[in-house]
Amino acid sequence: MATADICSAFDGELSLRPGVLRVVVTALAVFLGTAVSNAFPLSGSVEAITIPNVGAAFQTVNFDNTYTNAVPACTYNLPSNSDPPAVVRIQNIGATSMQIQLQQPRNSSTVTAGTVYCTVAEEGVNILPDGRRVEARTVLSTVTHGQFTALGFGNASAVTMQNVSGLFSGFTNAIALGQVITFNDANFSTFHANNCESRSNPPFLSGFGDGICVTKTIAEDNVVTTRGDETLGIIVIETGTGSYEGVAYEVALGPDFINGVGNGGRSYTLTGSFEFATATIAGTDGGNGGWAVFLGGGAVGGTSLTLGIDEDTINDGERSHTTENVAYFAVRRLPVFTASKSVDRPTIAETLTLNYDIVLENTGELDQTGVVVTDILPDGSSGTVSGPIESVAADGVFEVGETFTYTISYNVTNADITAGVDLINSVSATTDQYSAEGLADETASATTIIEPGNPSITVTKTADNNLNVPAGVTVTYTYVVTNTGNQSISNLSLSDSHGGSGAPPTPSGETLSNDAGVSGDSSDSVANDGIWDSLAPGDEVTFTATYTVTQNDVDTLQ
């Protein structure tokens, strides 16, 4: 990570050497750098970003998606209630990044660096893969509310806030996440939303029709009681839980339960374990104003969210606060991998060995362990796979982007060819993480088509003595029968239409002389009875017979 320390009086652009961070500086930004963040796309237009170690210096946060108009909403994880209050400030939102810092109200760089969680959405209507509606809008806040401002911050002040209800549609029950997303005024302000009836009521309190009014607030600032215009970002999400490939989430308006940072904060219990969340105070009961923070170590990353309502200390030093509703959007990554299967012979007409490749690829965001592969051969039996060959490291860990390759074979039988039914080899695979999430196995199959039956044989006949044979000499004939078709030939026997005057030869003594296909797929239950029970494609069986030459043969045939 490259960083540059630049005097705040400098206003311009600094280009570092190729491959190193290009830094844009404004008069309001004392230091700039690039944050090491974890951006997780929830769709092509919505993502969750975890940014560790955010402090008083503006730093660039890169998006995973590319946006036309990105709308972020962020929440600071205050390390402890002994750390100073801080709000998240944002500036320079672009197609692929934004800049972020912490600021102690009113405008102090004395903050404790900590993790910030941001939800980012494209302005407009966004639909998650499972159908969940996420709508993001921006509005220029031209009014300022607070305990000591001209408009005040009493319950009646809701009517002086900006009604943005008409910007949103299509929801039944929704929550609003919000953020001041510009840095036009160096002094802090925070996002507030209510239902346009009372400062205390969350937006959409009685359903979507209840509406949403927004403003920026400066809480207890009694010294500088005005602010320049700022743009507010608002992300409205339909409440509920859901999941789709790689993602599980929970959207809810928490009960009126979260108290102040000075009171120690409280926790909401979640429906599962989540690794990311963004939270926004919904309405404000406390007359001093305030904003939601995650509070303490482990506040995010389990089956609960630990939250507190923080306050500035401009007018007084206390940070106690009455209980509030907090809206939250919690997300966790789910394990994802794909399974594919291929066969070396998509069509066959004879018995042979089919060779299969099974490839698992970790296409998700999480390493996985405990890979189990179950293969069902075409005859319905469970096969034993060989492998895996691991593309990254032979350590048994199914890493992100890694492939595990397995192989297995199947010997096609005469019965398979005769039946003429497609040969289907199926595989299922799971991991420890799939099992823990209750996810269904990934499956794949490969099919070999058996061509229509085409029975065919050839017979060759040779004699051990075939020139000027005198009477009384015995001639031995050898018959070689080759299965040149694609089906086994059953109950194979020969008869010889012999032209001699003596008793005709009777082929017998059948012996398998060439086992050319799958070894052992031709068989004969009774030896030397003149009948070969089953001759597989490509195989050869040999019969023999004898004939004694007569004087009549000599007289008439020579």
Side-chain angles (χ1 to χ4, degrees):
M1 179 180 72
T3 60
D5 292 347
I6 304 163
C7 176
S8 62
F10 180 83
D11 185 8
E13 183 172 278
L14 174 68
S15 295
L16 304 181
R17 63 183 182 277
V20 183
L21 175 69
R22 180 173 177 269
V23 181
V24 177
V25 186
T26 74
L28 296 176
V30 178
F31 305 104
L32 289 176
T34 298
V36 178
S37 59
N38 177 14
F40 174 46
L42 309 182
S43 72
S45 59
V46 181
E47 65 187 276
I49 310 178
T50 302
I51 314 145
N53 202 36
V54 177
F58 266 114
Q59 50 190 310
T60 298
V61 176
N62 293 319
F63 301 144
D64 190 90
N65 295 325
T66 299
Y67 297 91
T68 301
N69 293 296
V71 180
C74 303
T75 309
Y76 169 47
N77 192 159
L78 182 70
S80 75
N81 59 7
S82 63
D83 292 306
V87 298
V88 177
R89 298 300 306 271
I90 293 174
Q91 69 174 7
N92 296 336
I93 301 172
T96 60
S97 66
M98 64 181 177
Q99 292 172 342
I100 188 172
Q101 70 164 192
L102 296 179
Q103 180 185 52
Q104 182 182 167
R106 158 182 340 104
N107 184 9
S108 169
S109 61
T110 303
V111 298
T112 300
T115 300
V116 172
Y117 300 89
C118 296
T119 297
V120 182
E122 181 67 73
E123 185 166 14
V125 175
N126 307 276
I127 305 298
L128 297 182
D130 67 339
R132 183 76 49 179
R133 188 178 182 90
V134 178
E135 189 167 357
R137 301 293 177 185
T138 60
V139 61
L140 182 66
S141 176
T142 58
V143 299
T144 304
H145 288 76
Q147 188 173 359
F148 298 99
T149 65
L151 294 174
F153 198 52
N155 277 326
S157 68
V159 298
T160 63
M161 299 178 186
Q162 291 170 273
N163 191 326
V164 294
S165 304
L167 297 179
F168 302 94
S169 63
F171 295 92
T172 302
N173 293 290
I175 59 121
L177 305 175
Q179 176 74 45
V180 176
I181 62 173
T182 51
F183 197 76
N184 299 328
D185 195 311
N187 293 320
F188 94 105
S189 59
T190 63
F191 175 86
H192 167 84
N194 59 52
N195 72 340
C196 303
E197 296 174 5
S198 170
R199 181 204 69 202
S200 301
N201 291 340
F204 317 121
L205 176 62
S206 301
F208 180 65
D210 208 20
I212 177 172
C213 285
V214 299
T215 190
K216 63 182 182 297
T217 74
I218 58 173
E220 296 180 83
D221 191 346
N222 61 344
V223 178
V224 181
T225 58
T226 61
R227 292 291 188 271
D229 295 347
E230 300 280 13
T231 299
L232 305 180
I234 312 156
I235 302 175
V236 173
I237 311 175
E238 184 72 21
T239 58
T241 60
S243 65
Y244 50 92
E245 184 174 293
V247 177
Y249 63 84
E250 178 177 337
V251 185
L253 173 65
D256 189 348
F257 179 70
I258 303 302
N259 59 13
V261 166
N263 305 104
R266 288 176 173 174
S267 297
Y268 286 149
T269 299
L270 305 177
T271 59
S273 180
F274 293 89
E275 61 186 292
F276 167 92
T278 303
T280 298
I281 190 171
T284 306
D285 291 322
N288 290 341
W291 59 94
V293 296
F294 298 121
L295 182 57
V300 180
T303 57
S304 64
L305 293 177
T306 301
L307 293 138
I309 305 302
D310 213 350
E311 296 183 358
D312 69 87
T313 54
I314 298 172
N315 183 49
D316 57 51
E318 61 83 24
R319 293 157 75 187
S320 297
H321 196 96
T322 188
T323 59
E324 302 280 8
N325 297 93
V326 176
Y328 62 87
F329 177 40
V331 176
R332 74 174 177 274
R333 293 170 292 178
L334 295 178
V336 180
F337 71 92
T338 61
S340 62
K341 189 165 198 174
S342 61
V343 62
D344 61 346
R345 298 290 296 270
T347 62
I348 60 172
E350 59 184 357
T351 56
L352 45 70
T353 299
L354 298 176
N355 300 301
Y356 299 92
D357 287 330
I358 302 162
V359 179
L360 309 182
E361 182 179 2
N362 188 339
T363 55
E365 299 276 341
L366 301 172
D367 291 347
Q368 300 176 58
T369 55
V371 179
V372 176
V373 175
T374 303
D375 191 274
I376 304 300
L377 295 170
D379 62 2
S381 64
S382 296
T384 301
V385 297
S386 297
I389 298 173
E390 303 180 43
S391 65
V392 175
D395 56 3
V397 178
F398 193 19
E399 299 178 40
V400 172
E402 186 171 23
T403 58
F404 276 23
T405 301
Y406 303 81
T407 58
I408 194 169
S409 298
Y410 175 70
N411 292 328
V412 180
T413 66
N414 287 325
D416 293 329
I417 299 297
T418 302
V421 178
D422 292 350
L423 301 179
I424 301 174
N425 187 318
S426 60
V427 66
S428 62
T430 189
T431 66
D432 289 343
Q433 288 70 30
Y434 262 52
S435 297
E437 291 285 358
L439 299 176
D441 292 2
E442 298 295 337
T443 60
S445 64
T447 300
T448 296
I449 298 172
I450 297 177
E451 295 177 346
N454 181 29
S456 175
I457 62 172
T458 61
V459 181
T460 61
K461 177 183 176 182
T462 59
D464 66 344
N465 195 344
N466 58 8
L467 184 63
N468 297 323
V469 182
V473 173
T474 299
V475 179
T476 300
Y477 296 102
T478 301
Y479 312 82
V480 178
V481 182
T482 305
N483 186 342
T484 56
N486 62 6
Q487 288 182 305
S488 293
I489 304 299
S490 301
N491 300 319
L492 178 64
S493 63
L494 300 179
S495 62
D496 193 340
S497 298
H498 196 266
S501 60
T506 302
S508 62
E510 63 278 2
T511 303
L512 187 66
S513 53
N514 185 12
D515 191 4
V518 176
S519 177
D521 59 351
S522 292
S523 61
D524 188 35
S525 60
V526 179
N528 301 320
D529 64 349
I531 301 173
W532 186 265
D533 290 349
S534 179
L535 183 65
D539 290 355
E540 295 178 349
V541 64
T542 299
F543 294 78
T544 60
T546 59
Y547 177 74
T548 301
V549 178
T550 66
Q551 185 60 50
N552 186 55
D553 295 333
V554 173
D555 294 341
T556 60
L557 298 177
Q558 293 189 17

